[in-house]
Amino acid sequence: MDRTAVVKVGAAASASVCALFGGVVLAQYIVAKKKRAGKKTRIIEMMPQFEKSSVHMRDPERVEQIICGLIKGGASKLQIITDFDMTLSKFAVNGERSPTCHNIIDNCKLVTEECRTKLLQLKNKYYPIEVDPHLTMEEKYPFMVEWYFKSHTLLVEQRLEKDKLAEVVSESDAALREGYEQFFDRLQQHNVPVFIFSAGLGDVLEEIIRQAGVYHPNVKVVSNFMDFDENGVLKGFKGELIHVYNKHDGALRNTEYFKQVKEYCNVVLMGDSLGDLSMADGAPNVENILKIGFLNDKVEERLDKYLDSYDIVLVKDETLEVPNAILQKVL
C-alpha cells in the first residue's frame, strides 16, 4: 500500500474513532441532562412522608411555596395553632375508636351508668350532625350548642371531684398520635409557641399531655375548663362555651395572646374539622399559613370539601409524620 493510501485509511479510522467517541460523549450528556431534569428539586419531593397514600393535596405547588416561606422564616417566626381531639390525639387504635376528652369522663368510674347512657344517647344524636357533609356549619351550630349544654349539665350533676381527674386519665385509653414526643419536644427546643385550641375538656386535655411528659412552657391551652367549688367538686364550667363550630369567636377572644406572639407571622394550623380552619382568625400579621387537616371519618363524602379548605389532608393517618417532616425542614 502506497503512502497516500495509508494516509487515507488512517484518516478514515481516526474519523470513525472520533465519531464513536463523540457519540458516547453526546449520549452521556443526554443521559446526564435527563437525570438532572428528573432530579427531586422540590422540598415536598425530598420528604418521603409525602409519598404516603394517606397524603392528599389539591395544589402541591401552593404547598411547596408555603413550606418554602416557613423555611425562610425559621423558628423565630413560627407558631403552631392546633386542635386536640382527633388531631393531636388518635381517632382510632386497632380499629377501635379512641376516646376524646369528653369520652374519658363519660366512660370513667365517677359517672353513674344512668348518666353514661344519657351521654351516649346525646352522642348518637348529635355526632352524625357534626360530621354530616350536607349541612353547613351555620346549620350545625345550634345543635352543637345544644349537645354541649346538655352533656355539661349532666356532668355537673355527677359532682365530679377535681383530685380524681389524674387517676381517671391514667386509667383511660387516651392516645396521642405517633410521633407526638418528637413534635412537642422539637417545638420546645426551638421556643416555638404552641396554641392548643380545643372544644374538649381543658382539665382532661392538660392532664393527658402532662402525663405524656409534653406539657412544656411553650404550650398554651384554651378549652372548656371545669369550675370547682372550694371542696374541689364540679359546679359548672368557666367562661364562654367552645364547640367545634364557634372557634372563630374563641379565636377573637384570645387576641391578647396573639398580640403577645405577633412577631411569629408564620403559622402551621392543624385540625380535624372544617370548624378548625378559623382557629387562627385572631392572629395578626400572618405571612404564611399552612393548614393541615386530619380526615378521620366519612372520607369519601368529605374529602373534596377538606381538599378545598386544607392545604394538606391526611386521610386515616394516626401519626404526626408529615407535620414532623415539615418541622424538621423549618427548624
Side-chain angles (χ1 to χ4, degrees):
M1 186 180 293
D2 61 21
R3 187 171 182 278
T4 302
V6 171
V7 169
K8 285 182 179 180
V9 170
S14 178
S16 298
V17 170
C18 286
L20 178 62
F21 180 75
V24 170
V25 171
L26 180 61
Q28 288 175 337
Y29 170 77
I30 292 171
V31 169
K33 188 174 181 182
K34 284 183 177 179
K35 282 185 177 179
R36 284 197 299 273
K39 186 179 179 181
K40 294 181 178 180
T41 56
R42 298 195 306 173
I43 298 295
I44 59 176
E45 291 177 338
M46 297 177 187
M47 291 186 274
Q49 294 83 358
F50 275 76
E51 296 176 7
K52 294 169 61 178
S53 60
S54 60
V55 179
H56 298 254
M57 293 176 285
R58 179 82 80 203
D59 188 350
E61 289 301 328
R62 172 180 161 76
V63 173
E64 176 77 10
Q65 290 171 6
I66 297 172
I67 292 177
C68 286
L70 298 179
I71 292 171
K72 185 178 178 182
S76 63
K77 290 190 175 183
L78 182 67
Q79 64 169 303
I80 308 297
I81 301 175
T82 179
D83 174 50
F84 184 77
D85 285 322
M86 298 178 285
T87 296
L88 291 176
S89 68
K90 290 186 176 183
F91 178 78
V93 176
N94 298 325
E96 294 291 323
R97 282 289 301 270
S98 294
T100 64
C101 292
H102 276 97
N103 296 154
I104 288 171
I105 296 297
D106 297 352
N107 300 323
C108 78
K109 61 187 179 183
L110 304 180
V111 171
T112 65
E113 196 60 44
E114 181 186 1
C115 178
R116 188 174 293 113
T117 299
K118 290 179 180 179
L119 289 166
L120 182 59
Q121 288 171 346
L122 291 175
K123 180 184 177 182
N124 291 340
K125 175 181 178 180
Y126 291 107
Y127 179 69
I129 296 174
E130 178 187 333
V131 297
D132 190 331
H134 305 296
L135 295 176
T136 66
M137 286 193 286
E138 290 74 20
E139 289 171 325
K140 296 176 182 182
Y141 192 110
F143 293 104
M144 297 302 102
V145 173
E146 197 173 283
W147 182 11
Y148 277 63
F149 176 78
K150 289 181 178 179
S151 63
H152 286 180
T153 299
L154 286 170
L155 293 180
V156 171
E157 291 174 358
Q158 295 297 292
R159 296 180 57 80
L160 302 175
E161 297 174 45
K162 184 177 183 178
D163 60 7
K164 301 279 183 67
L165 289 181
E167 183 182 354
V168 165
V169 170
S170 67
E171 292 177 350
S172 75
D173 294 324
L176 296 174
R177 290 186 186 271
E178 292 170 30
Y180 74 88
E181 304 104 321
Q182 181 184 350
F183 178 80
F184 280 101
D185 291 349
R186 176 178 279 124
L187 293 169
Q188 159 67 3
Q189 180 184 349
H190 293 276
N191 297 311
V192 175
V194 178
F195 185 73
I196 300 179
F197 197 179
S198 172
L201 297 174
D203 307 81
V204 176
L205 189 167
E206 287 188 328
E207 194 58 41
I208 292 171
I209 59 177
R210 186 180 292 116
Q211 292 186 15
V214 293
Y215 198 174
H216 301 312
N218 62 317
V219 176
K220 178 178 175 60
V221 176
V222 171
S223 187
N224 297 302
F225 281 92
M226 298 175 174
D227 190 12
F228 297 94
D229 64 19
E230 63 275 9
N231 297 314
V233 175
L234 180 64
K235 65 176 183 179
F237 286 81
K238 299 175 182 177
E240 298 289 332
L241 171 69
I242 299 173
H243 61 75
V244 181
Y245 295 114
N246 74 341
K247 288 191 173 181
H248 167 77
D249 302 331
L252 297 183
R253 284 198 299 272
N254 284 278
T255 51
E256 198 56 44
Y257 166 81
F258 288 122
K259 284 178 183 176
Q260 293 171 16
V261 295
K262 63 182 179 182
E263 68 272 21
Y264 299 92
C265 53
N266 290 336
V267 176
V268 172
L269 180 148
M270 304 195 309
D272 73 300
S273 160
L274 296 180
D276 291 328
L277 291 159
S278 62
M279 292 189 297
D281 286 0
N285 311 319
V286 174
E287 291 183 8
N288 298 286
I289 179 167
L290 182 68
K291 299 176 181 178
I292 302 174
F294 290 86
L295 180 52
N296 304 301
D297 198 10
K298 293 188 179 295
V299 173
E300 290 184 8
E301 301 98 315
R302 299 197 291 168
L303 181 57
D304 271 345
K305 284 187 177 180
Y306 272 60
L307 285 171
D308 287 340
S309 306
Y310 283 102
D311 301 302
I312 301 171
V313 178
L314 303 176
V315 174
K316 293 185 178 294
D317 186 338
E318 298 293 351
T319 77
L320 290 171
E321 286 183 2
V322 170
N324 280 337
I326 295 168
L327 291 175
Q328 190 170 7
K329 294 289 183 183
V330 176
L331 303 175

